[in-house]
Amino acid sequence: MIRSMEKRDKEAILGILDETGMFTPAEIAVAEEIMDIYLDRPDQTDYGIVVIENAAAAIAGYMSYGPTPLTDGAYDLYWMAVAPKEQGRGHGKALVRWLEDQVKSWEGRMIIIETSSQLKYRPTREFYVRLGYKEVARIPDFYKPGDDRIIYAKYF
């Protein structure tokens, strides 16, 4: 089940971000900042956050997204994480497909996803390619020397 994030979900999501081993403390702090904006300012329109529950109604993963500022019909998938024990069960795919359906219903034109070229992100990059996303840009040494920013897109 995919539903909007609620305040009670925050600690579980932070735990998932930590458990994956994919995110630095600084990255987790940014993800938390986005959660706080989403939870504390219900009138804002910059960020949406959803969670996916497993069969036991526990949080299995989450995703944050939003309209790309100053564009017409472009949306960003900002953050997504699935608990390590829940990976491989289709939760990530379900979250991405949910966002695609939403963007289409909003008459959006594309979804943009940015990630790192670090080796540890290779499975993530391959996941997005399997879902039909194409690498459309790469900025060498963006995050740090040897760590490129890779931008994927899917057009509707």
Side-chain angles (χ1 to χ4, degrees):
M1 175 178 152
I2 297 174
R3 62 171 175 78
S4 296
M5 179 191 179
E6 300 172 1
K7 286 189 180 196
R8 65 186 169 101
D9 302 324
K10 183 177 172 182
E11 291 308 312
I13 295 169
L14 289 172
I16 289 170
L17 289 168
D18 185 53
E19 289 169 18
T20 67
M22 298 294 286
F23 304 102
T24 66
E27 290 169 331
I28 293 172
V30 171
E32 183 175 15
E33 181 181 337
I34 292 170
M35 285 182 238
D36 290 340
I37 291 168
Y38 173 78
L39 293 169
D40 296 339
R41 295 181 35 214
D43 59 322
Q44 65 83 32
T45 57
D46 295 327
Y47 303 108
I49 302 178
V50 293
V51 298
I52 188 165
E53 296 178 341
N54 64 18
I59 304 298
Y62 102 111
M63 176 178 60
S64 65
Y65 61 91
T68 307
L70 303 174
T71 68
D72 179 13
Y75 289 81
D76 287 301
L77 189 165
Y78 291 115
W79 294 87
M80 187 171 74
V82 174
K85 65 184 177 201
E86 296 287 343
Q87 292 178 6
R89 299 181 184 183
H91 299 307
K93 181 178 180 179
L95 286 166
V96 173
R97 294 297 190 225
W98 178 92
L99 181 58
E100 291 172 356
D101 290 344
Q102 293 300 307
V103 168
K104 289 175 191 175
S105 76
W106 300 326
E107 299 182 7
R109 299 179 300 112
M110 71 179 78
I111 295 174
I112 302 295
I113 303 169
E114 299 177 6
T115 191
S116 163
S117 67
Q118 289 182 53
L119 185 59
K120 73 177 182 177
Y121 287 106
R122 183 176 180 186
T124 302
R125 294 189 304 269
E126 291 171 348
F127 167 77
Y128 290 128
V129 169
R130 283 193 310 274
L131 293 179
Y133 288 78
K134 305 278 189 234
E135 182 178 326
V136 295
R138 182 181 290 248
I139 304 171
D141 303 318
F142 180 82
Y143 295 106
K144 62 184 175 188
D147 187 4
D148 304 348
R149 178 188 209 176
I150 303 174
I151 302 170
Y152 291 90
K154 188 171 198 179
Y155 298 86
F156 304 108

